Amino acid sequence: MTRRGPGRRQALDPEVLFARAAGVTAREYRPQRVICEQGDAATAVFYVRTGQVKLSVVSRHGKEAVVAILEAGDFFGEGCLVGQRHVMATATAMVDCTVWRIAKKTILRMLHGNPRFSDFFLRHMLTRTIRLEADLVDHLFNSAEKRLARALLLLAHFGKAQRVEVVPKISQETLASMIGTTRERVSFFMNRFKKLGFLDYNGGLRVYNALLTVVLNDLPGATPRLGE
């Protein structure tokens, strides 16, 4: 008698898990509504169900920086799991969003009692760490022009099957805050990219994969890294 091999393991659906768990609530947010604010008590982890969320921090001198743009399938607020007492970044809905709020005790119980969820969450954390390391290298060694090109490619999900992606609505002020430069410089670079055929604004911001050449090479007449 021939034994059948094990079937393909079904991918974990966190939506099903969260819907069944106590201590998990789904909340809807309109654009520009704050989900959690820098300095709040860190008592929960959040999971973006739909929409787009901006994470930003404000310095003691009032300067704001955008540290991440999150989309469906992303977690934030994980610091509470390792003893972080206060929220480190303000999370703001950029479009209509639905977000799962998972109480700290609940997600700890899931991590300890559900190996599949533990694997799922670990992959998320490792992916986030790799992204943060890449962002740090980007800020240390690349020009503002290259940082903008990389940010646009990431927002457009570069590397997927589609040759052209439409970037979700995002202001030049937010892009400037993400890459550490001024809105005027973002506007200058965006116009430059458009003239070179790397993007266009018809029907939303459309980013072409050819923009990758800015990241890989210095364009003729590109601005130097120093003095930005």
Side-chain angles (χ1 to χ4, degrees):
M1 180 177 179
T2 303
R3 298 182 61 186
R4 291 186 177 182
R8 180 177 294 180
R9 192 175 186 180
Q10 187 175 4
L12 176 71
D13 184 353
E15 295 279 337
V16 175
L17 188 63
F18 296 153
R20 296 173 178 173
V24 181
T25 54
R27 300 180 179 179
E28 296 182 354
Y29 298 89
R30 301 289 293 172
Q32 307 307 315
R33 292 296 301 271
V34 172
I35 300 167
C36 61
E37 193 166 7
Q38 183 177 341
D40 287 349
T43 58
V45 174
F46 300 86
Y47 179 82
V48 183
R49 186 179 185 186
T50 62
Q52 194 177 43
V53 174
K54 175 180 71 174
L55 295 186
S56 61
V57 295
V58 178
S59 72
R60 293 180 179 179
H61 303 291
K63 186 176 181 179
E64 183 182 30
V66 176
V67 295
I69 302 294
L70 307 179
E71 298 179 337
D74 287 330
F75 288 93
F76 61 96
E78 307 95 329
C80 71
L81 301 178
V82 290
Q84 199 173 79
R85 302 181 67 180
H86 298 96
V87 173
M88 299 301 293
T90 296
T92 307
M94 299 182 69
V95 296
D96 289 333
C97 294
T98 303
V99 177
W100 288 106
R101 182 188 184 277
I102 313 157
K104 178 180 176 180
K105 290 183 179 180
T106 299
I107 196 166
L108 285 173
R109 184 172 66 248
M110 291 178 177
L111 290 170
H112 293 155
N114 189 326
R116 292 183 64 199
F117 179 72
S118 296
D119 290 345
F120 177 83
F121 192 76
L122 178 60
R123 285 195 299 272
H124 159 77
M125 293 301 300
L126 292 174
T127 301
R128 174 73 64 84
T129 299
I130 292 169
R131 171 69 183 273
L132 289 174
E133 290 176 349
D135 287 346
L136 178 59
V137 170
D138 188 42
H139 275 268
L140 288 174
F141 297 110
N142 286 336
S143 67
E145 188 170 33
K146 285 189 177 183
R147 297 199 303 272
L148 177 60
R150 177 175 177 270
L152 290 171
L153 288 166
L154 289 170
L155 289 169
H157 303 288
F158 171 76
K160 291 190 176 181
Q162 295 91 334
R163 300 298 296 174
V164 180
E165 289 283 359
V166 178
V167 174
K169 186 176 181 180
I170 187 168
S171 69
Q172 291 189 354
E173 287 83 359
T174 298
L175 287 170
S177 184
M178 288 174 63
I179 67 172
T181 190
T182 64
R183 188 201 62 78
E184 290 75 16
R185 290 182 69 76
V186 168
S187 178
F188 173 81
F189 294 137
M190 294 284 281
N191 288 330
R192 177 177 168 81
F193 295 160
K194 182 179 180 181
K195 290 178 181 178
L196 291 169
F198 296 153
L199 54 81
D200 64 59
Y201 304 125
N202 295 325
L205 176 58
R206 303 180 70 85
V207 175
Y208 297 86
N209 289 351
L211 184 60
L212 183 63
T213 59
V214 180
V215 178
L216 299 178
N217 306 285
D218 287 322
L219 293 175
T223 53
R225 176 72 174 91
L226 297 178
E228 293 183 345

mmCIF file of all heavy atoms in Angstrom, residues 7 35 57 68 107 182 211 213 215 226:
data_model
loop_
_atom_site.group_PDB
_atom_site.id
_atom_site.type_symbol
_atom_site.label_atom_id
_atom_site.label_comp_id
_atom_site.label_asym_id
_atom_site.label_seq_id
_atom_site.Cartn_x
_atom_site.Cartn_y
_atom_site.Cartn_z
ATOM 1 N N GLY A 7 -0.024 16.664 2.819
ATOM 2 C CA GLY A 7 -0.507 17.719 1.940
ATOM 3 C C GLY A 7 0.203 19.037 2.204
ATOM 4 O O GLY A 7 0.881 19.208 3.225
ATOM 5 N N ILE A 35 -4.319 56.667 15.455
ATOM 6 C CA ILE A 35 -4.613 55.330 15.981
ATOM 7 C C ILE A 35 -4.003 55.173 17.371
ATOM 8 O O ILE A 35 -4.637 54.693 18.303
ATOM 9 C CB ILE A 35 -4.083 54.251 15.023
ATOM 10 C CG1 ILE A 35 -4.746 54.404 13.654
ATOM 11 C CG2 ILE A 35 -4.307 52.851 15.600
ATOM 12 C CD1 ILE A 35 -4.079 53.609 12.554
ATOM 13 N N VAL A 57 7.531 60.236 14.283
ATOM 14 C CA VAL A 57 8.034 60.618 15.600
ATOM 15 C C VAL A 57 8.313 62.111 15.589
ATOM 16 O O VAL A 57 8.635 62.689 14.554
ATOM 17 C CB VAL A 57 9.307 59.836 15.979
ATOM 18 C CG1 VAL A 57 9.013 58.357 16.133
ATOM 19 C CG2 VAL A 57 10.405 60.048 14.947
ATOM 20 N N ALA A 68 7.969 55.146 8.884
ATOM 21 C CA ALA A 68 7.461 53.996 8.123
ATOM 22 C C ALA A 68 6.085 54.297 7.555
ATOM 23 O O ALA A 68 5.317 55.070 8.138
ATOM 24 C CB ALA A 68 7.398 52.743 8.993
ATOM 25 N N ILE A 107 -1.791 38.676 22.696
ATOM 26 C CA ILE A 107 -0.799 38.288 21.689
ATOM 27 C C ILE A 107 0.308 37.444 22.317
ATOM 28 O O ILE A 107 0.844 36.529 21.666
ATOM 29 C CB ILE A 107 -0.230 39.521 20.958
ATOM 30 C CG1 ILE A 107 0.489 39.069 19.680
ATOM 31 C CG2 ILE A 107 0.685 40.330 21.848
ATOM 32 C CD1 ILE A 107 0.800 40.202 18.720
ATOM 33 N N THR A 182 13.941 68.464 2.181
ATOM 34 C CA THR A 182 12.864 69.456 2.134
ATOM 35 C C THR A 182 11.858 69.114 1.046
ATOM 36 O O THR A 182 12.166 68.378 0.096
ATOM 37 C CB THR A 182 13.429 70.860 1.852
ATOM 38 O OG1 THR A 182 14.030 70.866 0.540
ATOM 39 C CG2 THR A 182 14.479 71.238 2.888
ATOM 40 N N LEU A 211 12.939 53.432 -12.715
ATOM 41 C CA LEU A 211 13.426 54.308 -11.651
ATOM 42 C C LEU A 211 14.554 53.646 -10.866
ATOM 43 O O LEU A 211 15.348 54.326 -10.204
ATOM 44 C CB LEU A 211 12.270 54.686 -10.718
ATOM 45 C CG LEU A 211 12.565 55.674 -9.594
ATOM 46 C CD1 LEU A 211 13.042 57.013 -10.149
ATOM 47 C CD2 LEU A 211 11.334 55.880 -8.717
ATOM 48 N N THR A 213 17.209 52.618 -11.912
ATOM 49 C CA THR A 213 18.513 53.086 -12.387
ATOM 50 C C THR A 213 19.040 54.227 -11.528
ATOM 51 O O THR A 213 20.261 54.408 -11.426
ATOM 52 C CB THR A 213 18.424 53.552 -13.857
ATOM 53 O OG1 THR A 213 17.456 54.606 -13.957
ATOM 54 C CG2 THR A 213 18.013 52.407 -14.768
ATOM 55 N N VAL A 215 18.726 54.398 -8.280
ATOM 56 C CA VAL A 215 19.279 53.771 -7.087
ATOM 57 C C VAL A 215 20.615 53.104 -7.395
ATOM 58 O O VAL A 215 21.559 53.165 -6.595
ATOM 59 C CB VAL A 215 18.287 52.736 -6.507
ATOM 60 C CG1 VAL A 215 18.873 52.053 -5.285
ATOM 61 C CG2 VAL A 215 16.967 53.410 -6.165
ATOM 62 N N LEU A 226 27.079 65.458 -0.096
ATOM 63 C CA LEU A 226 27.445 66.419 0.911
ATOM 64 C C LEU A 226 26.721 67.734 0.662
ATOM 65 O O LEU A 226 26.458 68.129 -0.446
ATOM 66 C CB LEU A 226 28.960 66.633 0.910
ATOM 67 C CG LEU A 226 29.823 65.404 1.254
ATOM 68 C CD1 LEU A 226 31.279 65.758 1.172
ATOM 69 C CD2 LEU A 226 29.473 64.885 2.634
#
